[in-house]
Amino acid sequence: MDLALIWFVLIAVLWTGYLVLEGFDFGVGMLMGLLAKNNKERRLALNTIGPVWDGNEVWLLTAGGATFAAFPEWYATLFSGFYLPLLLILLSLIVRAVAIEYRGKINDEKWRQRWDWAIIGSAWVPSILWGVAFANLVRGVPIAESNGHLEYVGNFFDLLSPFALLGGLVTLSLFLSHGAIFLALKTSGDFSKRAGDFAKKISVAALALAAVWAIWTQLAYSVAWTWAAVLVAALGLVAVVWFARVESFGKAFIANAVVIVGAVVLIFGSMYPDVMPSSIDPAYSLTVDNASSTDYTLTVMTWVAVIMTPIVLAYQAWSYWVFRRRISTDHIPEHSELTFLKK
């Protein structure tokens, strides 16, 4: 296996880590507006992800950085072609970070409500757009040769095909299910019961949407061996529905993670040997070979990854272990604010 192929697989692994971990962050953000009845319950939901959400974003930064360094042609074409959706995702991530930090600075209900809406909105937008983006990578986008370079020649509306929009609904439903299961696991009392009941319903919707999209992907754009990924994802989806129904939320969470692993394998397996297929002519597709960096760059990246990855994984595992206990509204103290910001 050459280094370019190794890094193609590693980038798929990084996206898997990001979607599994950030998926429940987005789910919790969206469910703040659907499940929480008052300020204490919204603070309870935020506290479940408070110690880990920014660490989960490291996976996105690493996946983006690895793509930039290992496949610069892929990175450049991807960001020029998907400019508007990726910009909206980036703005959402910035708004969410600011909102989480600022909502508790002033003890005022209107102040908190504004930032709550910012958190909720900034969770819905990327939950849909990530699915749209990945579906377009599978389907292929208009890439043609221009001035001796392979460039994206479409516009924003070329990205909004029925297949891509269904992909957006799939990631949306998967993240809602992931977040509801996570809240049922991490909280106790009425709020946990409400999250569990929601997980039972949304997991069925996720099963239906993902089944249609996966079969569509397999029949229209993929290869024979990725039926194995479809089967794994399908078994995972059924397991999520079953374990949520019997309220075994730990197993449901693991099953949901397996579904995301199967989906990423299906997406990257369907693209290979391309990293960005051209819908105009396969000759214009960016491939693992023609989009990769030099062997020297990939060798340096591999040694850095070998040294740093265990450190990052150990730190993140330690964070989850320290904050592993369930919490309830009884653990949420009365609101305090920064005195110099008092109105």
Side-chain angles (χ1 to χ4, degrees), residues 77-86 128-129 131-137 139-143 152-168 276 279:
T77 309
L78 179 69
F79 273 77
S80 61
F82 293 6
Y83 182 79
L84 185 55
L86 291 178
I128 297 172
L129 291 181
V132 172
F134 279 112
N136 274 293
L137 286 179
R139 176 174 171 264
V141 290
I143 298 174
Y152 181 87
V153 294
N155 57 51
F156 174 72
F157 295 102
D158 291 330
L159 304 176
L160 303 180
S161 66
F163 177 75
L165 293 174
L166 179 59
M276 207 162 174
S279 59

Side-chain angles (χ1 to χ4, degrees), residues 2 65 128 215 302 307 317:
D2 61 24
I128 297 172
I215 293 173
T302 304
I307 295 170

Side-chain angles (χ1 to χ4, degrees), residues 163-337:
F163 177 75
L165 293 174
L166 179 59
L169 292 178
V170 170
T171 49
L172 176 68
S173 60
L174 281 177
F175 291 168
L176 278 170
S177 176
H178 213 34
I181 292 167
F182 182 76
L183 285 172
L185 262 179
K186 286 290 294 179
T187 61
S188 58
D190 290 343
F191 189 78
S192 178
K193 179 73 169 54
R194 236 176 290 145
D197 290 343
F198 185 83
K200 294 174 188 175
K201 299 172 185 171
I202 194 65
S203 60
V204 176
L207 169 62
L209 291 168
V212 173
W213 188 80
I215 293 173
W216 189 347
T217 301
Q218 186 61 42
L219 294 178
Y221 305 110
S222 199
V223 292
W225 73 264
T226 51
W227 275 112
V230 174
L231 179 62
V232 168
L235 292 174
L237 287 162
V238 173
V240 173
V241 174
W242 172 256
F243 287 129
R245 183 170 293 276
V246 299
E247 301 187 353
S248 182
F249 294 113
K251 293 177 181 176
F253 187 83
I254 293 171
N256 222 31
V258 170
V259 173
I260 294 173
V261 172
V264 173
V265 173
L266 174 61
I267 291 166
F268 278 74
S270 300
M271 288 194 296
Y272 182 80
D274 299 331
V275 293
M276 207 162 174
S278 170
S279 59
I280 296 175
D281 187 336
Y284 296 142
S285 296
L286 296 176
T287 69
V288 170
D289 291 328
N290 70 19
S292 67
S293 293
T294 62
D295 280 346
Y296 177 75
T297 301
L298 296 175
T299 301
V300 172
M301 289 177 62
T302 304
W303 277 109
V304 172
V306 167
I307 295 170
M308 296 302 298
T309 302
I311 297 172
V312 173
L313 290 177
Y315 173 77
Q316 198 150 29
W318 176 78
S319 299
Y320 277 92
W321 176 255
V322 169
F323 297 102
R324 66 189 181 279
R325 298 188 187 283
R326 288 175 182 263
I327 57 176
S328 71
T329 50
D330 294 336
H331 296 104
I332 305 298
E334 292 303 318
H335 201 104
S336 60
E337 64 183 353

